[in-house]
Amino acid sequence: MLNASSVSQFLRDNPELWFIALGIFYLLTTIALTYSLSKRDVDYGPLWPAALWRRVLAAVVDLACLGGIALTIHSFVFAAPFSLAVIDEQMARALLIEFLVLIVMNFFVFAAFFSSSWQGTLGMKIFGIAIVDQVGDGLSFGKAVLRQFGSVLTLQWLGYGCLAALFTILSQTLHDLMATTSVVRSRDL
């Protein structure tokens, strides 16, 4: 007999099923959002989408730069090298604050880069790609913040929103579709 208490007990005994169900939910939500957002009537004109490999390598360069910045900040906050074996409550609070500061800094620094004359980050500049709005112009700071908010959602959804680049005409990810932006080859600008 299936009732609420037996289902509840089953899920308590098998907590990994929550993660599987959550992953399936995120995947289906991403597919639905990508489908509905890609059906909007937005004309991007003659812009050529950036190749996915360029986007991935640009992200690797950017993450390496962020990692260096994070290690530098960490070395100033904690004079000693990091070790999981010696984390106490005070250090855990400090690590949490450091993590939150890095997240906020990342959010606004990326938005500032996207809305600058570079139209992207250092990695994007190196690989010759830029972020543009639907008419091929640079982003305003507000639109760049909206895109960053969308990218946070994409990452929370296990990165499924990035898979949209494989299925949309202009290789747009979910956060590109949300902000009506596109990542294009810079030489097209």
Side-chain angles (χ1 to χ4, degrees):
M1 177 85 177
L2 188 63
N3 58 34
S5 64
S6 65
V7 170
S8 176
Q9 183 61 40
F10 179 76
L11 290 175
R12 267 189 254 122
D13 294 342
N14 301 296
E16 65 277 359
L17 292 179
W18 279 108
F19 293 110
I20 294 169
L22 189 62
I24 292 169
F25 170 76
Y26 285 158
L27 180 62
L28 294 175
T29 304
T30 301
I31 291 169
L33 278 171
T34 301
Y35 178 76
S36 65
L37 290 173
S38 66
K39 295 300 177 189
R40 287 189 291 187
D41 189 24
V42 178
D43 181 24
Y44 286 91
L47 298 174
W48 288 91
L52 195 55
W53 69 268
R54 288 180 187 265
R55 293 179 77 162
V56 169
L57 288 178
V60 168
V61 169
D62 294 337
L63 288 175
C65 291
L66 281 177
I69 292 169
L71 283 174
T72 303
I73 290 173
H74 179 77
S75 67
F76 282 117
V77 172
F78 304 102
F82 179 74
S83 171
L84 289 175
V86 293
I87 293 181
D88 59 357
E89 187 176 334
Q90 185 178 5
M91 183 179 250
R93 281 192 196 123
L95 283 171
L96 179 63
I97 291 169
E98 178 185 356
F99 177 73
L100 293 174
V101 166
L102 285 171
I103 292 293
V104 170
M105 182 182 79
N106 173 22
F107 190 86
F108 287 106
V109 166
F110 270 74
F113 269 113
F114 294 156
S115 60
S116 72
S117 62
W118 275 23
Q119 295 178 310
T121 59
L122 177 63
M124 295 174 91
K125 189 78 167 169
I126 290 171
F127 287 98
I129 57 179
I131 298 175
V132 297
D133 65 5
Q134 60 198 18
V135 293
D137 294 333
L139 304 184
S140 66
F141 186 73
K143 187 166 262 201
V145 167
L146 175 66
R147 186 180 188 277
Q148 276 303 100
F149 179 72
S151 69
V152 168
L153 287 178
T154 297
L155 292 176
Q156 281 184 338
W157 290 344
L158 305 175
Y160 288 145
C162 294
L163 294 176
L166 300 173
F167 304 106
T168 56
I169 294 170
L170 291 173
S171 299
Q172 292 171 293
T173 58
L174 183 59
H175 47 276
D176 286 323
L177 291 168
M178 291 171 73
T180 62
T181 60
S182 186
V183 180
V184 297
R185 290 184 271 177
S186 325
R187 64 179 177 82
D188 296 333
L189 298 177

